[in-house]
Amino acid sequence: MPFTIAIDGPAASGKGTIARAMARHFGFSHLDTGLLYRAVGALGGDPIVAARGLQPADLERDDLRSAEAGQAASRVAAIPEVRAALVDFQRRFARSEPGAVLDGRDIGTVICPEAEVKLYVTASDQVRAGRRALELGADVAQILTELRERDARDAARDVAPMRPADDAIMLDTSDLTIEQALTQAIAHAERVR
Ligand code: C5P
């Protein structure tokens, strides 16, 4: 039976770093589901058509990491038909052998409610903006505004809003190094496995 690790949380919480490292640790496949929405937003045109026709190569575009791509992703991610078009791919990925790590906003609640391990990774707004500003070489205040706007939209939408699953383990990384956060996340998954 494949083993699924679902990791959700707001932008720049550290969930992507933790997801990648956990996948490496356990020898599992990893899917950054934010890339799907970023690609749909970046493709332009009708987002529903873009989501239904999404190709693996679309996830390799160079322009997906920018703040603008994040905002565009968050707008198309509120469209129910866009989300519906991406469900099967994510669920199939979640059943990869011997296991899979998926990170996003609705993995523990909607995509993989049966996941063996569910983590909800958070950090304070200031810490998240500081990390993202460092990564993108951008202004902290501007990034902070952008993150808050995106989180508010992701948490308020009607379909699959960003929220922890009832059975998710909360991991606040504000005062943790990457190594400390990872040690806690892996220890939890090892207990379940
Ligand atoms: O994680 P990342 O910042 O790349 O996600 C970009 C946007 O994609 C998020 O702000 C959110 O609107 C959307 N998203 C989502 N559901 C997911 C992953 C991402 O709605 N599972």
Side-chain angles (χ1 to χ4, degrees):
M1 275 292 277
F3 190 90
T4 308
I5 300 178
I7 305 183
D8 292 302
S13 56
K15 65 181 188 309
T17 305
I18 292 173
R20 259 191 312 278
M22 286 185 92
R24 214 169 22 244
H25 177 85
F26 289 104
F28 290 176
S29 308
H30 169 230
L31 180 64
D32 167 1
T33 64
L35 276 184
L36 303 174
Y37 298 93
R38 284 173 183 264
V40 169
L43 280 167
D46 181 339
I48 299 173
V49 173
R52 290 182 179 153
L54 201 66
Q55 300 295 319
D58 297 328
L59 307 182
E60 313 281 323
R61 294 169 61 115
D62 294 331
D63 55 351
L64 299 185
R65 297 279 167 201
S66 69
E68 295 72 35
Q71 289 289 0
S74 151
R75 282 192 290 272
V76 299
I79 303 169
E81 292 87 347
V82 166
R83 305 198 69 85
L86 302 174
V87 167
D88 285 352
F89 172 75
Q90 294 175 83
R91 291 203 176 134
R92 242 180 291 121
F93 192 96
R95 291 194 296 271
S96 307
E97 292 283 1
V101 183
L102 285 80
D103 71 275
R105 303 293 187 289
D106 64 338
I107 308 303
T109 51
V110 174
I111 301 297
C112 304
E114 312 292 331
E116 282 78 7
V117 172
K118 295 183 188 179
L119 295 175
Y120 194 84
V121 183
T122 59
S124 73
D125 292 4
Q126 291 292 343
V127 166
R128 294 189 294 118
R131 287 179 188 159
R132 187 49 59 87
L134 205 64
E135 192 180 296
L136 297 175
D139 175 59
V140 183
Q142 193 187 326
I143 296 274
L144 184 60
T145 308
E146 189 266 331
L147 286 184
R148 283 182 171 150
E149 189 188 321
R150 192 144 67 90
D151 291 345
R153 193 190 290 125
D154 289 346
R157 69 181 173 224
D158 292 332
V159 253
M162 168 173 76
R163 66 169 183 83
D166 293 337
D167 52 351
I169 299 288
M170 305 296 287
L171 182 58
D172 185 335
T173 67
S174 304
D175 301 317
L176 301 179
T177 63
I178 291 171
E179 287 71 23
Q180 288 169 332
L182 194 55
T183 301
Q184 292 189 16
I186 288 174
H188 171 64
E190 300 272 19
R191 274 195 295 275
V192 177
R193 195 158 160 83

